[in-house]
Amino acid sequence: MNSSAANPNTPQLSVVVPAYNEEEVISEFHQRLSAVLDQIPNSEIIYVNDGSNDGTLELLTGFRDADQRIAIVDLSRNFGKELATTAGLDHSRGDAVVLIDADLQDPPELIPKMLLEWQKGFDVVYMQRSRRDGESALKKFTAWGFYRVLNKLSSVDIPANVGDFRILSRRVVDVLCQLRERNRFMKGLFAWIGFSQKSMSYQRDARFAGDTKWNYLALWNLAVEGITSFSVSPLKLASYIGFFTAAGAFFYGFWVILKTVLFGEPVPGYPTLMVVILFLGGMQLMALGVIGEYLGRMFIETKQRPLYLLNQHYPSHTATERSNENPPQ
Ligand code: UDP
Ligand code: MG
């Protein structure tokens, strides 16, 4: 059974919300989320301020002053959504944890339904969008292509059209918190951990206000991250291509020599030479680039830096009272 039955101080549900420059939507979001959580006793909200440079943090501290259930994790700078989410998970205490975006694309009203599924015994209930509103055809197409390539290349099955909106059981959160890789591709990690997972479909709304923080360059980087974190196939591909070009070059060279010996060589052969040189040069650069992607990631991992730095942690008021009652040993 879940531990909240045993220990009334542990919140049953934690909701982790990463927020970066969301001053336009966060108030509306907070209102809707609080209304939902009012029906769920013993819940907490953990807002992670991911180095916003607008009024997001002031709004969040305002919410916290008015509501016992709120904790704020304020990061020292913008670390990106994946690390902000990790910081929130690290500070969550609930038996179940919901991850949700602050921009109201994921309706908070679905949380009670997700909670019901979790109570049935699923470790992860992930929300699969049946519709992507407010996104361009190009974004939909690139997303589709990305999932196809990723699932072909990697050994874990990463479901398409699934964001971070999901509920996780405590043991899954504990496992995720143990995975301290710096190059974090959360969607891949969620799939990698396994356990009993269930999908629920929902309609993803358009952003309530403000702009998406992802541009195509950021999405490209995310795609490279996803592929290199979960597959070494590009390295293998590079060596296969190298092998076949080398084999082709060998036979072609043999043919050129044979032809010259048998028939002589009337034309200097500049075009063939150029083509071969450019082709091989291009292949080599590409293979080097692929190796570089992996090497760069190894470089970052070997530094063993902390994943994120805290500016300040504002625990929820209920947690503060409790820690005064029982000071840590
Ligand atoms: N976010 C964040 N750090 C970032 C970028 C985004 O914490 O560097 C948060 C953002 O505030 C929002 C969520 O991640 O709550 C999703 O961001 P966004 O809506 O820009 O992404 P999209 O929905 O377009 O994938
Ligand atoms: Mg969004």
Side-chain angles (χ1 to χ4, degrees):
M1 262 330 287
N2 58 50
S3 62
S4 69
N7 179 1
N9 281 343
T10 319
Q12 188 197 15
L13 180 72
S14 303
V15 181
V16 169
V17 190
Y20 174 52
N21 292 347
E22 298 288 7
E23 66 179 359
E24 288 173 67
V25 288
I26 200 87
S27 300
E28 170 78 15
F29 172 81
H30 182 64
Q31 218 171 358
R32 275 177 59 181
L33 179 62
S34 310
V36 172
L37 292 190
D38 286 344
Q39 301 151 23
I40 304 172
N42 220 355
S43 50
E44 65 171 359
I45 310 176
I46 297 160
Y47 283 111
V48 184
N49 176 40
D50 188 14
S52 304
N53 41 32
D54 64 356
T56 304
L57 182 63
E58 287 71 49
L59 288 171
L60 292 178
T61 40
F63 302 155
R64 178 173 173 270
D65 292 340
D67 191 334
Q68 302 260 312
R69 299 171 294 189
I70 295 172
I72 304 170
V73 176
D74 183 29
L75 301 185
S76 65
R77 63 168 170 87
N78 177 250
F79 279 91
K81 183 184 179 187
E82 318 270 311
L83 292 178
T85 309
T86 309
L89 287 176
D90 286 343
H91 288 86
S92 70
R93 299 171 304 141
D95 295 322
V97 179
V98 167
L99 301 180
I100 187 169
D101 285 357
D103 59 3
L104 288 171
Q105 278 189 287
D106 308 326
E109 289 75 21
L110 290 174
I111 292 177
K113 269 196 193 161
M114 298 160 74
L115 202 58
L116 276 181
E117 289 301 313
W118 167 74
Q119 278 160 346
K120 285 184 196 162
F122 288 103
D123 281 292
V124 179
V125 180
Y126 57 85
M127 306 301 284
Q128 196 154 27
R129 36 203 183 217
S130 53
R131 196 181 64 180
R132 297 172 78 117
D133 266 1
E135 290 183 358
S136 66
L138 183 60
K139 173 134 188 216
K140 286 180 199 165
F141 176 73
T142 45
W144 174 83
F146 168 65
Y147 285 117
R148 283 213 50 158
V149 172
L150 186 61
N151 279 329
K152 276 251 149 47
L153 292 184
S154 74
S155 50
V156 291
D157 223 357
I158 298 169
N161 289 330
V162 173
D164 288 345
F165 189 26
R166 60 187 61 225
I167 190 167
L168 308 166
S169 68
R170 172 51 38 194
R171 64 173 179 168
V172 163
V173 174
D174 288 343
V175 170
L176 279 173
C177 292
Q178 279 171 26
L179 304 175
R180 301 317 275 182
E181 53 198 271
R182 276 122 202 103
N183 298 297
R184 290 180 94 72
F185 180 62
M186 290 300 261
K187 287 186 180 73
L189 295 181
F190 290 141
W192 181 85
I193 52 173
F195 293 111
S196 57
Q197 308 215 358
K198 179 167 198 287
S199 78
M200 262 170 83
S201 93
Y202 77 116
Q203 303 204 330
R204 188 164 161 94
D205 299 329
R207 218 175 205 287
F208 179 76
D211 282 325
T212 171
K213 310 297 180 296
W214 296 100
N215 53 33
Y216 276 102
L217 184 65
L219 283 174
W220 167 256
N221 285 335
L222 184 74
V224 173
E225 190 72 70
I227 290 171
T228 52
S229 304
F230 281 88
S231 161
V232 288
S233 304
L235 283 176
K236 286 191 199 140
L237 191 69
S239 41
Y240 286 136
I241 293 177
F243 175 76
F244 285 114
T245 10
F250 176 79
F251 287 115
Y252 182 66
F254 186 71
W255 161 243
V256 169
I257 292 171
L258 194 72
K259 205 174 62 167
T260 320
V261 169
L262 291 182
F263 312 109
E265 179 56 73
V267 197
Y270 173 75
T272 11
L273 212 60
M274 270 322 268
V275 168
V276 171
I277 289 174
L278 289 179
F279 178 68
L280 288 183
M283 281 296 153
Q284 284 172 357
L285 284 181
M286 197 188 80
L288 275 179
V290 172
I291 294 169
E293 288 285 344
Y294 285 91
L295 192 69
R297 282 177 174 73
M298 280 166 64
F299 171 66
I300 290 170
E301 293 295 337
T302 49
K303 284 197 273 204
Q304 296 282 318
R305 287 201 180 134
L307 299 187
Y308 55 84
L309 295 175
L310 282 194
N311 185 30
Q312 199 166 347
H313 175 218
Y314 308 83
S316 65
H317 289 292
T318 45
T320 330
E321 280 159 24
R322 248 173 254 146
S323 59
N324 291 345
E325 283 162 22
N326 321 307
Q329 312 283 309

